[in-house]
């Protein structure tokens, strides 16, 4: 089943040319849940309830993961091509996925896999994936030369 969901990127990577995305979604969840519920056996599913850092489940909010071993069509809001690598944590995206029954050969688990087909960047977010350069403060007088004792760690 193909569908499109909108969400905020929690994690994105393109290691070894294998795109992966994890997004927090609130819309179109029922369509994904209906498909998952229609399958007989589900040892694993790509959709899980979202939890806050203190473990509280967020009502109506889910986390969806999707991956592929193929190149992903990635466009901006004007539908102009962009690089998948331009996507960052916090960006708002539309994601086209295909949900399909699958089986893990090693463990014989049966479940549902979510295959990533395309991504549209709707809006850049506030998040980031890399550390930013921190400029030195010229008024900072601290230096290693001022350390007189070795800490007892």
């Amino acid at each position: 089943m193909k569908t499109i969901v909108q969400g905020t990127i929690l994690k994105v990577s393109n290691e070894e040319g294998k795109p992966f995305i994890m997004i927090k979604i609130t819309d179109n969840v029922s369509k994904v849940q209906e498909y998952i519920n229609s399958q007989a056996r589900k040892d694993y599913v790509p959709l899980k309830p979202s939890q806050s850092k203190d473990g509280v489940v967020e009502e109506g909010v889910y986390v969806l993961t999707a991956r592929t071993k193929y190149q992903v069509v990635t466009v901006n809001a004007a539908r102009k091509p962009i690089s998948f690598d331009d996507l960052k944590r916090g960006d708002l995206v539309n994601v086209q996925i295909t949900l399909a029954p699958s089986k893990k050969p090693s463990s014989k688990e049966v479940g549902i896999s979510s295959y990533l087909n395309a991504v549209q960047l709707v809006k850049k977010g506030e998040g980031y994936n890399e550390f930013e350069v921190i400029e030195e403060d010229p008024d900072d007088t601290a230096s290693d030369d001022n350390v007189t004792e070795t800490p007892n760690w």
Side-chain angles (χ1 to χ4, degrees):
M1 176 194 87
K2 274 191 182 180
T3 190
I4 296 175
V5 294
Q6 185 176 77
T8 304
I9 296 176
L10 296 174
K11 185 176 180 182
V12 62
S13 71
N14 194 13
E15 291 180 20
E16 299 176 16
K18 295 180 180 178
F20 167 83
I21 197 164
M22 178 186 290
I23 63 172
K24 184 184 274 193
I25 64 172
T26 55
D27 75 318
N28 216 3
V29 174
S30 60
K31 191 172 182 181
V32 175
Q33 285 177 323
E34 284 174 21
Y35 178 81
I36 290 171
N37 293 338
S38 73
Q39 301 303 304
R41 186 170 159 207
K42 304 169 286 287
D43 295 330
Y44 57 91
V45 295
L47 185 71
K48 304 213 181 322
S50 178
Q51 292 185 2
S52 63
K53 289 184 181 183
D54 56 359
V56 177
V57 174
E58 299 178 66
E59 188 75 26
V61 182
Y62 293 83
V63 174
L64 176 87
T65 57
R67 66 183 73 233
T68 186
K69 59 183 176 182
Y70 302 105
Q71 185 175 1
V72 174
V73 174
T74 309
V75 296
N76 62 17
R79 296 189 176 158
K80 302 287 184 206
I82 62 172
S83 171
F84 186 82
D85 296 326
D86 291 341
L87 302 173
K88 303 291 181 219
R89 179 182 171 97
D91 291 348
L92 180 65
V93 292
N94 290 326
V95 178
Q96 183 188 52
I97 58 170
T98 299
L99 296 170
S102 61
K103 184 176 186 178
K104 293 182 180 178
S106 60
S107 65
K108 306 292 187 219
E109 287 181 312
V110 176
I112 298 159
S113 290
S114 176
Y115 300 99
L116 183 59
N117 300 326
V119 179
Q120 180 185 31
L121 175 62
V122 176
K123 181 181 168 191
K124 289 300 284 178
E126 298 296 319
Y128 57 90
N129 281 349
E130 293 95 26
F131 288 102
E132 295 178 16
V133 175
I134 300 173
E135 300 296 326
E136 270 190 58
D137 182 357
D139 298 328
D140 188 1
T141 58
S143 76
D144 290 341
D145 297 335
N146 296 336
V147 177
T148 57
E149 296 178 10
T150 304
N152 275 338
W153 293 336

